Amino acid sequence: MVKIEYHSDLKELQSDAQLARLLSPECQSAPFDRLAWWEALGKHCAITPTIAVAREGDAVAVLPLTGDGGHLSALANWYTFRFRPVLSPVPQAEGLLTQIAHDLAGKARRLTLSGLPDEDDSASRVESAFRKAGWLVMREASDTNHVLAISGRSYDDYIAGRPGKLRTTLKRKTKKVAVEVLTRFDALAWEQYEAIYAESWKPEEGSPTFLRAFAQAEGEAGRLRLGIARAAEDPEGPAIAAQMWTVEGKTAFIHKLAHRESAKPLSPGSILSAALFRHVIDVDRVTLVDFGTGDDPYKRDWMEQVRPRYRLDMFRPFDPHNWLIVARIGLRRLAASAKGG
């Protein structure tokens, strides 16, 4: 018999051996699929979770949500690369998503899930489950994800295939920048990262305390790669660029990078990126580098593949609160289609 549960107190999940294991680093090789990530969202980002869980024997499906007022959305934030349901590795687990979709019909009139990948069929799987449960589902591409498949290359092999302008920059300026790659959390280095970020071109973030807590936890687990760059002529001076990466499951995740605008002539960001690519390729032996979301032009210099991310807007078709919203979305899509044609 299928059992459906909803959890807003994540301590309940911690005390459940089956769920705690499924949502642990032992079973999930990306931080965004883990209980610790969702706990940090609640603690540091004022996001109230609603974790939907369906299970039947060894089969478990988990859909992490947030929201109220009849409109639920993905339990995610600024730092989340992608969102997806978490399923136990048994065939029956996929069918449990449909059971969650049926049950949610009595708790919400609308769900909006953004950042879904489909290289693993997550977007299609969720779309199918909610359609089967009678929801009106609208799907559209909402973002991009740049990745690099190493394909057995060494760092030297990889860098030889980069654009000529980037290779020239690295050749001319590498000796002008001193870099350090830390595999542990260092409070002083993190303070320098925060100071650089405050001066950089980057927009203001949602929760620096969330990121620091995540970096500390990843450092304790041995997954952190924290890069710091200084001017070679002043190696004891202030840092001029900093980057935060993590490595696990043969994947390197590029979370944050920033440089001081005053140091831009030295290209410290590019030099530091190269050092970190060298480390994760030749030392950590990763098979994939994930540059997160966003179609920033500089990512194309380092990455070789682009994967779409999808948004699913799902409505209870007979709820009058949805009619105007659905009509507006339909008209917008019709106008876009006409313009494109």
Side-chain angles (χ1 to χ4, degrees):
M1 181 176 179
V2 176
K3 182 180 179 181
I4 308 288
E5 311 161 357
Y6 297 90
H7 300 271
S8 57
D9 182 355
L10 299 191
K11 291 181 181 178
E12 295 173 354
L13 301 185
Q14 287 179 329
S15 62
D16 186 308
Q18 185 183 41
L19 292 176
R21 176 163 177 75
L22 176 63
L23 303 174
S24 71
E26 288 71 34
C27 293
Q28 304 303 327
S29 58
F32 326 107
D33 301 327
R34 296 202 288 258
L35 180 57
W37 184 268
W38 305 339
E39 288 175 327
L41 290 177
K43 181 177 180 179
H44 300 291
C45 304
I47 299 176
T48 303
T50 299
I51 311 298
V53 179
R55 52 179 144 190
E56 186 177 26
D58 293 334
V60 183
V62 181
L63 189 63
L65 304 169
T66 187
D68 54 26
H71 185 186
L72 299 177
S73 59
L75 182 58
N77 76 340
W78 174 283
Y79 307 103
T80 305
F81 283 26
R82 53 114 182 93
F83 169 87
R84 66 181 182 183
V86 180
L87 307 178
S88 58
V90 295
Q92 302 93 316
E94 185 172 338
L96 292 178
L97 274 179
T98 304
Q99 298 297 322
I100 290 176
H102 276 293
D103 199 73
L104 280 169
K107 300 181 179 299
R109 65 175 185 272
R110 180 183 179 186
L111 266 76
T112 303
L113 305 181
S114 297
L116 284 154
D118 210 36
E119 62 271 9
D120 62 353
D121 295 325
S122 287
S124 296
R125 188 178 292 128
V126 174
E127 179 181 11
S128 175
F130 277 80
R131 288 191 188 278
K132 287 179 182 177
W135 292 72
L136 173 64
V137 182
M138 297 186 178
R139 169 173 169 164
E140 63 181 352
S142 60
D143 211 335
T144 55
N145 168 230
H146 287 258
V147 295
L148 169 72
I150 304 304
S151 302
R153 289 174 288 183
S154 67
Y155 169 78
D156 288 337
D157 293 335
Y158 158 71
I159 210 68
R162 297 306 90 214
K165 184 178 179 180
L166 175 59
R167 288 186 285 109
T168 299
T169 296
L170 297 179
K171 184 176 181 179
R172 290 177 53 238
K173 298 184 179 181
T174 292
K175 292 183 179 180
K176 297 180 181 181
V177 179
V179 301
E180 182 180 15
V181 178
L182 303 175
T183 58
R184 67 189 187 285
F185 183 84
D186 181 275
L188 179 58
W190 192 259
E191 288 174 7
Q192 293 173 354
Y193 158 77
E194 290 183 327
I196 293 167
Y197 199 96
E199 288 187 23
S200 77
W201 78 100
K202 296 283 186 174
E204 184 178 350
E205 293 185 347
S207 178
T209 58
F210 171 93
L211 194 63
R212 181 187 176 103
F214 174 58
Q216 286 180 296
E218 293 298 283
E220 292 172 3
R223 297 187 289 259
L224 181 67
R225 303 294 179 264
L226 182 59
I228 301 292
R230 297 178 175 83
E233 63 181 19
D234 188 14
E236 301 301 320
I240 57 175
Q243 298 185 17
M244 177 193 171
W245 298 30
T246 60
V247 171
E248 60 178 307
K250 292 298 181 180
T251 297
F253 299 95
I254 306 177
H255 295 275
K256 288 295 166 187
L257 65 168
H259 65 261
R260 295 187 192 275
E261 286 297 304
S262 59
K264 193 172 182 179
L266 293 176
S267 300
S270 295
I271 305 306
L272 186 55
S273 290
L276 281 156
F277 272 100
R278 182 185 292 277
H279 189 97
V280 301
I281 293 172
D282 287 353
V283 178
D284 294 315
R285 303 287 184 181
V286 302
T287 58
L288 187 77
V289 181
D290 189 330
F291 217 146
T293 55
D295 203 23
D296 309 87
Y298 64 84
K299 292 184 179 181
R300 301 189 193 109
D301 290 341
W302 301 97
M303 303 285 104
E304 295 176 347
Q305 295 171 266
V306 181
R307 307 187 298 196
R309 293 289 174 258
Y310 296 95
R311 177 171 54 249
L312 297 179
D313 230 339
M314 299 176 287
F315 303 88
R316 295 306 299 162
F318 300 113
D319 190 312
H321 292 90
N322 289 332
W323 294 346
L324 182 59
I325 299 169
V326 171
R328 285 174 177 170
I329 294 174
L331 287 172
R332 188 178 71 240
R333 290 190 171 188
L334 184 62
S337 177
K339 185 177 179 180

